[in-house]
Amino acid sequence: MYKLSPSILSADFSRLGEQVLQLKEGGAAYVHIDVMDGMFVPNLSFGFPVIESIRGLTDQVFDVHLMIEEPIRYVQDFKKIGADILTVHAEACKHLHRTILAVREAGMKAGVALNPATPVSVLEHVAELLDLVLVMSVNPGYGGQKFINQSKKKIRSLKKMRKEHNYRYEIEVDGGVSFENAVMLQEAGVDVFVAGTQVFKGDIVANIKKFDEILSAKQE
Ligand code: DX5
Ligand code: ZN
């Protein structure tokens, strides 16, 4: 069963609460929350007070994507404000193994994100600990960028690796996901689809339903 994780980075922040409620109305499984620190990525997004205030609105799974240096510093804080899945970038952690353990010990699901240039092999010794692997299909930092085709290969190898070793991680793709490439990504092995622009441009509920039509038609 596929999952849609709309990225609120593309929301109209003057109407954030209302739009988060529309994500539930449309039936999206997760809410994707992009936190940026202006160091790991060039951009800044939002932090604890914003996430905390939308936590009060919905019981949907908060899929938090940390694009910040040394995220281990904030694991407890993200637990406190209600993150369910905490995904850190492999490139941003000096001690990736320790960071993953800290996330799990805090009682959240642990994810690792890989930038387009980062090979799947960096996960070799931590893959069994992971609930989610996020494949960046754009360079992180901004919504609305063009999908990098090479990511497909990475998705396929993650699927193969999961099968070979009996791992349990979900495979998530993030960046440039659209109605046009969703089926191709599903066939490559994606379980969780992050979509910003494609969900928030126009009618949010209708866009989520359109993803559902496209992705439910082709279940394995
Ligand atoms: C990029 C973020 C993405 C982004 C996706 O750094 O991690 O989640 O918001 O936006 P679209 O779907 O517009 O590429
Ligand atoms: Zn993201």
Side-chain angles (χ1 to χ4, degrees), residues 7 9-10 32 34 36 65 67 136 138-145 174-177 194-197:
S7 164
L9 190 63
S10 300
H32 188 79
D34 288 306
M36 303 180 183
H65 176 194
M67 285 161 273
M136 282 307 307
V138 297
N139 286 294
Y142 304 94
Q145 302 181 78
D174 185 4
V177 173
V194 177
T197 312

Side-chain angles (χ1 to χ4, degrees), residues 15-217:
R15 300 162 55 208
L16 184 59
E18 190 189 311
Q19 296 201 338
V20 166
L21 290 173
Q22 287 182 292
L23 300 181
K24 185 166 177 154
E25 190 188 331
Y30 292 175
V31 179
H32 188 79
I33 300 177
D34 288 306
V35 180
M36 303 180 183
D37 68 351
M39 290 293 286
F40 179 67
V41 289
N43 203 4
L44 291 163
S45 57
F46 45 75
F48 301 125
V50 173
I51 301 171
E52 204 171 6
S53 63
I54 58 169
R55 181 69 287 182
L57 291 178
T58 177
D59 54 4
Q60 277 170 294
V61 172
F62 273 15
D63 168 30
V64 179
H65 176 194
L66 298 183
M67 285 161 273
I68 66 179
E69 291 290 350
E70 292 303 344
I72 196 165
R73 296 173 293 154
Y74 298 110
V75 168
Q76 294 301 334
D77 302 273
F78 280 104
K79 173 65 187 171
K80 238 181 270 158
I81 59 163
D84 298 294
I85 306 170
L86 202 62
T87 296
V88 300
H89 266 267
E91 308 84 1
C93 301
K94 274 200 195 88
H95 303 285
L96 181 60
H97 184 272
R98 177 183 286 153
T99 308
I100 294 165
L101 289 187
V103 172
R104 288 168 54 108
E105 277 158 20
M108 292 174 285
K109 289 194 170 173
V112 171
L114 303 177
N115 276 340
T118 306
V120 163
S121 57
V122 302
L123 299 178
E124 189 180 342
H125 304 292
V126 294
E128 65 181 319
L129 300 170
L130 296 179
D131 300 290
L132 183 135
V133 176
L134 186 161
V135 175
M136 282 307 307
S137 42
V138 297
N139 286 294
Y142 304 94
Q145 302 181 78
K146 191 174 172 294
F147 179 84
I148 298 171
N149 225 7
Q150 193 65 9
S151 336
K152 234 188 319 179
K153 256 199 198 156
K154 213 182 269 185
I155 292 161
R156 284 204 203 96
S157 25
L158 281 165
K159 190 176 179 184
K160 189 161 164 254
M161 185 165 120
R162 179 172 64 191
K163 196 163 181 209
E164 273 170 16
H165 299 272
N166 228 348
Y167 296 143
R168 62 191 159 75
Y169 53 73
E170 291 187 311
I171 302 170
E172 180 172 55
V173 66
D174 185 4
V177 173
S178 66
F179 299 141
E180 287 71 38
N181 61 19
V183 168
M184 172 272 279
L185 290 168
Q186 188 174 41
E187 283 168 357
V190 172
D191 307 297
V192 185
F193 297 78
V194 177
T197 312
Q198 190 75 93
V199 167
F200 285 90
K201 196 178 61 191
D203 183 335
I204 295 172
V205 175
N207 288 338
I208 295 172
K209 297 219 156 115
K210 183 156 179 192
F211 265 117
D212 190 55
E213 270 164 39
I214 293 170
L215 294 168
S216 315

